[in-house]
Amino acid sequence: AIFFVSLKNSCNFAIKIEPNSMNDIQTIQNRIYEIRGQRVMLDRDLAAIYGVETKALNQSVKRNIKRFEGDDFMFRLTKDEALSTHSRSQNVTLNRRGSNIKYLPYAFTELGVAMLSSVLKSETAINVNREIMRAFVEFRHMAATLSLPNTNADVAQLRKDFEDLKLDIEDI
């Protein structure tokens, strides 16, 4: 299905989205980073999902900045944080020499992404936000159901397996 996204005081953009598709949720999850102990999406990734330029998304946010006050909604990455995300995504804007970041990206928390639906004025933006919210929820669900060794027996078995591997390596 093709939908149209409109940013307040900006142009309309067409994007293709298949609602409730697990593939879409996985694509979105691949764009979720853990920064400062929070799961966030970067402005450039959100703009790509909405089919708008990063500059247009950020301008809409700046016109409604009171909705995004506080690090629990949105924050600007430090240079080191931006460079660490650069290894996952090559879209960081660098200066002419390629050594310094020209524009530090904004990181939107789950609350900030939800608030975008009040800034972006279209049904499509709301539908996109629903998919993003589903991705965050799925992320939380996966983290909650992740099984880690939590008993002494599990740890003891891991140690035994490690020692066995170590002996096998020594034999080789």
Side-chain angles (χ1 to χ4, degrees):
I2 295 179
F3 298 98
F4 292 92
V5 175
S6 298
L7 294 176
K8 289 182 180 177
N9 302 321
S10 297
C11 299
N12 294 330
F13 298 89
I15 58 175
K16 184 176 180 181
I17 298 174
E18 298 298 328
N20 295 323
S21 167
M22 276 306 287
N23 194 26
D24 288 337
I25 290 175
Q26 290 172 344
T27 299
I28 292 167
Q29 285 175 340
N30 290 337
R31 294 178 179 201
I32 296 175
Y33 296 83
E34 177 133 353
I35 301 173
R36 300 182 196 175
Q38 298 186 68
R39 287 193 179 92
V40 299
M41 292 188 74
L42 302 182
D43 56 1
R44 63 178 180 249
D45 294 328
L46 287 164
I49 290 168
Y50 286 116
V52 299
E53 291 185 26
T54 305
K55 182 178 180 178
L57 179 93
N58 288 336
Q59 285 173 344
S60 291
V61 168
K62 286 176 186 175
R63 281 192 296 272
N64 296 277
I65 197 64
K66 285 192 175 267
R67 295 178 187 266
F68 298 92
E69 288 179 352
D71 285 353
D72 56 337
F73 283 88
M74 173 186 90
F75 54 87
R76 190 175 284 266
L77 298 185
T78 65
K79 182 178 177 181
D80 289 340
E81 290 167 337
L83 288 172
S84 73
T85 64
H86 181 61
S87 63
R88 268 183 65 185
S89 172
Q90 298 297 315
N91 294 331
V92 174
T93 304
L94 301 175
N95 76 357
R96 283 182 232 157
R97 295 184 196 121
S99 60
N100 294 317
I101 296 172
K102 185 175 178 184
Y103 299 108
L104 293 171
Y106 285 103
F108 291 84
T109 66
E110 185 174 351
L111 291 173
V113 172
M115 189 60 72
L116 281 173
S117 66
S118 68
V119 172
L120 306 176
K121 63 166 198 172
S122 74
E123 278 298 313
T124 303
I126 292 168
N127 291 334
V128 170
N129 270 14
R130 286 183 187 138
E131 291 302 312
I132 293 171
M133 292 296 100
R134 286 183 179 109
F136 273 106
V137 168
E138 182 66 25
F139 232 120
R140 277 198 308 275
H141 177 71
M142 288 182 345
T145 59
L146 185 66
S147 64
L148 298 174
N150 57 0
T151 65
N152 289 338
D154 290 338
V155 173
Q157 182 62 45
L158 287 172
R159 283 188 180 140
K160 182 185 177 310
D161 292 345
F162 177 74
E163 289 300 321
D164 291 345
L165 286 171
K166 194 168 141 185
L167 291 173
D168 290 342
I169 291 170
E170 288 174 4
D171 289 344
I172 295 175

